[in-house]
């Protein structure tokens, strides 16, 4: 059933879905992942990892996943969803959003505080706090319920940026939180746009290709994991 309120999403549910999706082909290295969910105010609601222990995935990716969640939430609206992948070209020198990546810094006391033993559990030290941060490559997606209400966002990190995006897309779909109103991709959603040629994105929203497999998986999302409509 679609989740109408972000508080209804439990740590156990997020971790279960994450573990399942990581086992699929996602176009990356097949590494374990971190996932963070924030609400519309940017407050961290859940942090989970897919491995057996917190050291089974890149330690640095925990905070990156939170940055991605914060970014997708901070720059998406009730009528327009922007993924972190959509922001890559726009923030490059000369891009329409150049400098965005330097705004909204991470609160390091939130990112690195608390007990290490709680990291990635339902009592993760980031939970209940505002993490901040801006990240401008694949892995962050806004969350919308069946009423079209934006609930917050999810961030994934731990593999190539393109695999991060693909995993985030699949996790969001499995959670029934992808009732996207509009986006800048050719399909009018927030999918990754792989249109960079000779360093230039004609659309202005392009992201680099990480691997042919990752690109093909994302391209097929309109068939395999299509966003839902609240119409």
């Amino acid at each position: 059933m679609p989740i109408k309120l972000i508080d209804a999403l439990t740590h156990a549910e997020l971790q279960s879905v994450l573990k399942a999706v990581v086992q699929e082909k996602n176009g990356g290295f097949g590494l374990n992942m971190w996932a963070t969910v924030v609400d519309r105010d940017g407050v961290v609601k859940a942090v989970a990892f897919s491995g057996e222990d917190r050291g089974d995935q890149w330690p640095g990716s925990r905070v990156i996943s939170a940055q991605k969640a914060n970014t997708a939430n901070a720059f998406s609206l009730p009528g327009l969803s922007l993924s972190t992948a959509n922001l890559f070209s726009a923030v490059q020198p000369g891009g329409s959003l150049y400098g965005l990546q330097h705004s909204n810094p991470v609160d390091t006391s939130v990112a690195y505080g608390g007990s290490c033993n709680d990291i990635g559990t339902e009592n993760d030290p980031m939970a209940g706090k505002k993490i901040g941060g801006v990240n401008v490559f694949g892995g962050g997606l806004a969350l919308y319920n069946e009423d079209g209400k934006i609930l917050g966002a999810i961030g994934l990190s731990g593999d190539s940026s393109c695999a991060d995006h693909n995993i985030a897309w699949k996790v969001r779909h499995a959670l029934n939180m992808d009732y996207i109103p509009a986006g800048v991709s050719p399909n009018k959603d927030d999918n990754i746009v792989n249109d960079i040629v000779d360093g230039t994105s004609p659309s202005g929203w392009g992201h680099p290709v990480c691997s042919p497999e990752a690109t093909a998986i994302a391209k097929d999302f309109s068939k395999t994991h299509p966003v839902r409509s609240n119409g």
Side-chain angles (χ1 to χ4, degrees):
M1 291 293 291
I3 296 173
K4 289 183 177 291
L5 298 173
I6 203 75
D7 288 338
L9 176 64
T10 67
H11 173 272
E13 183 177 14
L14 175 64
Q15 188 170 52
S16 176
V17 171
L18 176 64
K19 284 177 175 287
V21 171
V22 166
Q23 297 302 311
E24 301 174 5
K25 290 185 177 181
N26 297 298
F29 302 106
L31 303 178
N32 279 308
M33 300 291 295
W34 290 94
T36 300
V37 171
V38 302
D39 68 13
R40 188 59 176 147
D41 292 317
V43 176
V44 175
K45 306 305 292 184
V47 182
F49 55 78
S50 65
E52 295 302 314
D53 181 80
R54 63 181 180 273
D56 289 343
Q57 37 285 307
W58 291 334
S61 282
R62 169 176 168 265
V63 176
I64 293 174
S65 72
Q67 282 182 294
K68 291 180 182 181
N70 184 71
T71 305
N73 175 66
F75 300 105
S76 292
L77 293 167
L80 178 67
S81 181
L82 288 176
S83 64
T84 53
N86 295 153
L87 296 174
F88 180 88
S89 287
V91 302
Q92 302 306 314
S96 62
L97 296 176
Y98 176 64
L100 180 72
Q101 66 271 41
H102 304 304
S103 67
N104 299 280
V106 165
D107 186 330
T108 54
S109 67
V110 173
Y112 305 113
S115 170
C116 292
N117 290 328
D118 290 333
I119 288 176
T121 72
E122 60 183 351
N123 298 314
D124 188 284
M126 291 193 294
K129 303 180 180 70
K130 294 181 180 180
I131 181 64
V134 175
N135 187 285
V136 292
F137 52 83
L141 296 167
L143 304 174
Y144 295 81
N145 68 13
E146 63 179 333
D147 298 322
K149 179 175 179 166
I150 183 169
L151 303 176
I154 187 168
L156 270 292
S157 184
D159 207 305
S160 72
S161 56
C162 302
D164 291 355
H165 171 84
N166 291 346
I167 295 168
W169 189 277
K170 292 180 180 181
V171 169
R172 181 177 69 174
H173 186 78
L175 294 173
N176 290 291
M177 301 172 81
D178 58 351
Y179 290 82
I180 308 304
V184 296
S185 82
N187 289 330
K188 306 302 180 184
D189 56 26
D190 54 358
N191 200 2
I192 194 169
V193 179
N194 294 126
D195 69 349
I196 296 177
V197 178
D198 296 329
T200 300
S201 167
S203 70
W205 306 104
H207 187 283
V209 170
C210 305
S211 73
E213 183 183 24
T215 300
I217 289 170
K219 185 177 180 180
D220 284 345
F221 278 151
S222 60
K223 299 175 183 176
T224 62
H225 300 78
V227 297
R228 296 174 169 91
S229 170
N230 65 344

